[in-house]
């Protein structure tokens, strides 16, 4: 065998040059599914502004979708595909996990909280956002804390962590609230807008988006009391380490490049469609830390940021 042919043969089986190209290996799980079909299906939301939503042209867009498309581009290159078709499949808070588990969607690009309980059912990519759970109410209701909701009606979107959290707090604090379930986030806000509920429990960034897009934004306010801290992440199936590594690597590159600042500013610090509203929601210290050291932890404690003054004091001790 000629030297050039011998080297080519070694390369083809991965003896030289490290591991053989991915498309030459035997793929499994989601990677094999995507390569065989030439299609990837994204679970998207209709009303989770600015993460994943339908605009006035009935096109899905948002912060989460932009990040998912970065993953799609990386997967297409990794799998050696000349084209990778993207299918947008609408999901809700209630059905997103079942649709992931049964293989209907491959990535869920919405506003999903990563927690330890959910990690028993699905896997998560590195954290893309860090939020606090709060209440939204009309200013005229004078709701400043959860305690002010005693005996009143509160709404939370069905299938969200806020819904479960409010049920627990209602019982633990003997608040006697009536907890209503909104079909989706827009319906939950509508219940407050129309007076069917006094307050709406959800993640602060989602509540801020409702106010920014309301008919009369000045009528509403968000409580300062943080009921919990939660990380958002793109969801995928459990038990598929090869696919998870591909997704994690793709996002890791985005997080540690200038791309993440551009994408974040596009959705949270600039006017966004369809109404040209600016969320004016600067990147938090917790999120900056999560981008600097990407993590898929579902433990809220992993996102606690020690204030600089406190850290300096600790070092002196």
């Amino acid at each position: 065998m000629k030297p050039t042919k011998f080297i080519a043969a070694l390369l083809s089986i991965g003896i030289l040059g490290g591991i053989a190209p991915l498309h030459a290996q035997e793929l499994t799980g989601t990677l094999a599914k995507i390569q065989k079909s030439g299609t990837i299906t994204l679970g998207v939301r209709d009303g989770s502004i600015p993460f994943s939503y339908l605009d006035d042209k009935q096109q899905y867009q948002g912060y989460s979708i932009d990040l998912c498309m970065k993953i799609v581009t990386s997967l297409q290159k990794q799998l050696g595909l000349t084209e990778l078709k993207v299918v947008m499949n609408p999901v809700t808070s209630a059905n997103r996990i079942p649709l992931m588990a049964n293989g209907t969607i491959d990535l869920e690009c919405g506003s999903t909280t990563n927690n330890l309980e959910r990690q028993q059912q699905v896997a998560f990519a590195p954290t893309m956002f860090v939020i606090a759970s709060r209440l939204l109410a009309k200013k005229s209701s004078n709701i400043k804390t959860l305690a002010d909701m005693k005996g009143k009606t509160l709404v939370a979107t069905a299938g969200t962590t806020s819904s479960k959290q409010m049920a627990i707090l209602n019982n633990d604090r003997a608040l006697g609230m009536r907890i209503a379930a909104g079909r989706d986030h827009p319906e939950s806000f509508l219940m407050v807008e129309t007076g069917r509920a006094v307050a709406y429990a959800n993640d602060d960034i989602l509540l801020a988006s409702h106010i920014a897009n309301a008919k009369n934004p000045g009528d509403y306010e968000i409580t300062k009391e943080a009921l919990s801290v939660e990380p958002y992440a793109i969801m995928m199936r459990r038990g598929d380490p090869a696919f998870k590594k591909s997704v994690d690597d793709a996002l890791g590159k985005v997080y540690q490049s200038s791309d993440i600042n551009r994408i974040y500013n596009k959705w949270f610090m600039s006017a966004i469609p369809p109404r040209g509203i600016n969320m004016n929601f600067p990147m938090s210290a917790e999120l900056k830390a999560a981008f600097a050291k990407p993590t898929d932890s579902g433990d809220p404690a992993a996102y606690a940021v020690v204030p600089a003054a406190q850290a300096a004091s600790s070092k002196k001790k």
Side-chain angles (χ1 to χ4, degrees):
M1 182 182 290
K2 293 183 179 180
T4 54
K5 291 184 178 180
F6 179 66
I7 292 173
L10 292 180
L11 284 170
S12 70
I13 61 174
I15 294 177
L16 290 180
I19 300 174
L22 185 57
H23 61 270
Q25 299 178 40
E26 183 178 350
L27 299 175
T28 60
T30 307
L31 289 175
K33 174 188 174 185
I34 293 171
Q35 186 178 60
K36 182 178 180 180
S37 66
T39 301
I40 183 169
T41 303
L42 309 183
V44 293
R45 302 294 296 273
D46 287 352
S48 288
I49 301 172
F51 294 91
S52 179
Y53 67 99
L54 277 171
D55 63 15
D56 55 340
K57 297 179 182 177
Q58 295 301 294
Q59 298 293 316
Y60 285 101
Q61 60 176 305
Y63 173 73
S64 303
I65 291 177
D66 277 4
L67 291 179
C68 275
M69 290 308 297
K70 286 287 187 180
I71 297 171
V72 170
T73 299
S74 178
L75 289 172
Q76 180 179 343
K77 182 179 180 181
Q78 184 183 11
L79 294 171
L81 298 173
T82 55
E83 181 181 2
L84 180 52
K85 181 182 178 182
V86 177
V87 174
M88 302 286 190
N89 192 104
V91 300
T92 66
S93 297
N95 70 17
R96 55 191 167 184
I97 291 179
L99 290 178
M100 177 61 69
N102 69 18
T104 300
I105 59 175
D106 301 311
L107 291 172
E108 194 264 338
C109 314
S111 51
T112 298
T113 295
N114 171 13
N115 59 33
L116 300 178
E117 180 181 353
R118 284 179 175 166
Q119 286 186 3
Q120 300 304 308
Q121 305 175 72
V122 293
F124 290 92
T127 294
M128 64 174 181
F129 207 82
V130 181
I131 58 86
S133 177
R134 305 179 196 271
L135 303 181
L136 175 154
K138 288 183 177 179
K139 292 178 180 178
S140 58
S141 299
N142 199 33
I143 301 299
K144 304 300 181 184
T145 67
L146 183 61
D148 295 330
M149 286 297 298
K150 190 169 185 177
K152 297 179 173 66
T153 299
L154 177 141
V155 63
T157 304
T160 62
T161 54
S162 294
S163 178
K164 183 175 182 179
Q165 179 192 34
M166 289 303 107
I168 293 172
L169 291 175
N170 191 33
N171 181 66
D172 290 350
R173 302 185 186 183
L175 295 172
M177 293 187 297
R178 176 182 174 272
I179 301 178
R183 183 180 65 254
D184 51 27
H185 298 327
E187 183 177 80
S188 294
F189 177 72
L190 181 63
M191 291 184 70
V192 174
E193 186 178 41
T194 57
R196 286 177 288 162
V198 175
Y200 167 27
N202 208 332
D203 307 333
D204 52 8
I205 182 59
L206 295 180
L207 298 178
S209 75
H210 285 301
I211 292 177
N213 285 280
K215 296 176 183 176
N216 300 297
D219 289 352
Y220 306 92
E221 64 183 358
I222 299 171
T223 57
K224 293 181 180 180
E225 178 187 34
L227 300 171
S228 68
V229 174
E230 301 176 353
Y232 277 1
I234 292 166
M235 186 170 63
M236 64 194 105
R237 273 178 288 283
R238 280 192 77 199
D240 195 343
F243 182 62
K244 177 168 170 51
K245 184 179 187 307
S246 295
V247 171
D248 289 3
D249 288 349
L251 278 184
K253 290 179 181 178
V254 174
Y255 292 171
Q256 298 185 358
S257 73
S258 59
D259 274 357
I260 192 57
N261 291 320
R262 178 184 57 78
I263 295 171
Y264 185 94
N265 289 336
K266 171 185 174 182
W267 294 105
F268 299 100
M269 299 299 293
S270 305
I272 61 173
R275 295 178 57 198
I277 299 295
N278 189 336
M279 299 291 297
N280 194 25
F281 203 91
M283 190 182 295
S284 67
E286 290 81 2
L287 185 55
K288 288 178 181 178
F291 286 153
K293 294 183 178 180
T295 175
D296 64 356
S297 176
D299 182 359
Y303 301 93
V305 174
V306 179
Q310 184 178 335
S313 177
S314 299
K315 287 180 179 180
K316 290 179 181 179
K317 294 178 181 180

